[in-house]
């Protein structure tokens, strides 16, 4: 079995879905958390000067969080069994990524660095980035609620009986908005219940209890 290192900053952000996938699979890995003070040196060592990055035991480094997530989902049985199933998992996951991406961009400064002191923008946001985030949520969340209801009346997972990358993305991508506003999914009870089912999966539940506690 290969060994992995996930390189990312010391927060959940775009790497958390990969951490959760590996936790769900029961796979140990090296969680390399890079402090902001290290990044000026480290960025030259990373593909495309970006993170997260998935590193294999032979030294190969792969960027792009969703490519990383799809690889891990395929490797460990969280990506569907047919091409059509994988397509469904992928489009759902990408929809949630759009929400995550717009959320994180609200907290980026002009250099792309996270502004931790700005946490709480959702409660009084009027900026262009906040309005874009709101628009993205209005576009995507109703569709995700209906998509979930297409299988098992929305009472299990996006693919029915089997938890996949799509469900883990629902949890990880919406975690920070939910921490800022507990009523964020008030109009989407099926999605709210799905997040609880993901959280209660034994391996994921153990991971969530043990992980580093960070704002983002």
């Amino acid at each position: 079995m290969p060994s992995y290192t996930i390189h990312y900053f010391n927060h959940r952000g775009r790497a958390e879905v990969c951490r959760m996938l590996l936790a769900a699979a029961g796979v140990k890995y090296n969680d390399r958390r890079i402090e902001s003070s290290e990044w000026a040196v480290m960025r030259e060592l990373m593909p495309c000067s970006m993170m997260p990055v998935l590193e294999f035991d032979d030294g190969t480094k792969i960027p792009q969080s969703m490519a990383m997530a799809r690889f891990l989902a395929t490797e460990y049985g969280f990506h569907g069994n047919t091409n059509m199933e994988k397509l469904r998992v992928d489009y759902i996951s990408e929809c949630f990524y759009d929400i995550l991406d717009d959320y994180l961009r609200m907290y980026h400064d002009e250099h792309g660095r996270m502004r931790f002191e700005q946490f709480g923008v959702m409660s009084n946001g009027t900026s262009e980035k906040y309005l874009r985030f709101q628009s993205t949520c209005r576009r995507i969340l109703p569709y995700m609620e209906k998509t979930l209801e297409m299988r098992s009346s929305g009472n299990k997972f996006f693919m029915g009986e089997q938890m996949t990358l799509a469900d883990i993305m629902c949890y990880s991508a919406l975690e920070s908005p939910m921490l800022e506003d507990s009523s964020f999914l008030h109009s989407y009870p099926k999605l709210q219940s799905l997040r609880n089912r993901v959280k209660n999966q034994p391996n994921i539940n153990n991971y969530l209890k043990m992980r580093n506690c960070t704002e983002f």
Side-chain angles (χ1 to χ4, degrees), residues 188-204:
Y188 310 102
K190 298 291 187 180
L191 292 176
Q192 177 73 281
S193 295
L194 171 63
R195 294 187 77 253
N196 290 333
R197 285 191 289 279
V198 172
K199 180 180 180 179
N200 290 328
Q201 292 293 301
N203 283 359
I204 288 180

Side-chain angles (χ1 to χ4, degrees), residues 19-198:
R19 294 177 183 135
M20 290 181 68
L21 279 164
L22 288 170
V27 174
K28 294 182 179 180
Y29 64 99
N30 179 24
D31 189 11
R32 174 74 168 92
R33 293 178 180 246
I34 295 170
E35 298 299 331
S36 298
S37 59
E38 301 177 80
W39 180 231
V41 174
M42 291 296 297
R43 70 182 305 158
E44 299 304 321
L45 305 176
M46 298 297 165
C48 303
S49 297
M50 66 189 297
M51 293 194 296
V53 163
L54 180 67
E55 182 176 357
F56 294 79
D57 48 11
D58 66 356
T60 300
K61 294 185 177 76
I62 304 298
Q64 295 292 354
S65 58
M66 292 309 294
M68 293 160 52
R70 283 190 291 271
F71 169 79
L72 294 173
T74 300
E75 284 288 287
Y76 297 108
F78 297 104
H79 201 191
N81 298 314
T82 68
N83 285 342
M84 286 304 295
E85 288 183 356
K86 291 176 182 178
L87 177 61
R88 178 176 165 87
V89 169
D90 284 350
Y91 83 71
I92 293 167
S93 300
E94 292 289 350
C95 282
F96 284 118
Y97 183 82
D98 284 352
I99 292 176
L100 172 66
D101 189 54
D102 280 353
Y103 175 86
L104 291 174
R105 288 182 186 280
M106 290 195 297
Y107 296 96
H108 285 176
D109 65 16
E110 64 273 19
H111 303 293
R113 295 174 298 207
M114 296 299 291
R115 300 174 298 167
F116 295 104
E117 73 280 2
Q118 297 292 321
F119 187 70
V121 162
M122 278 178 56
S123 62
N124 58 1
T126 57
S127 69
E128 181 179 344
K129 290 180 180 179
Y130 171 76
L131 295 175
R132 172 173 170 155
F133 169 72
Q134 289 289 88
S135 175
T136 299
C137 291
R138 286 194 297 268
R139 285 192 299 106
I140 290 175
L141 290 177
Y143 181 60
M144 290 293 95
E145 184 86 351
K146 292 177 182 177
T147 300
L148 180 56
E149 291 173 342
M150 291 169 62
R151 303 284 177 95
S152 304
S153 300
N155 295 320
K156 294 187 178 178
F157 298 103
F158 274 110
M159 297 305 295
E161 296 290 337
Q162 180 187 9
M163 184 177 71
T164 66
L165 167 62
D167 308 293
I168 296 174
M169 268 304 288
C170 178
Y171 186 90
S172 63
L174 303 184
E175 187 169 12
S176 288
M178 288 291 293
L179 287 173
E180 282 202 53
D181 179 7
S182 60
S183 66
F184 180 72
L185 289 179
H186 177 74
S187 298
Y188 310 102
K190 298 291 187 180
L191 292 176
Q192 177 73 281
S193 295
L194 171 63
R195 294 187 77 253
N196 290 333
R197 285 191 289 279
V198 172

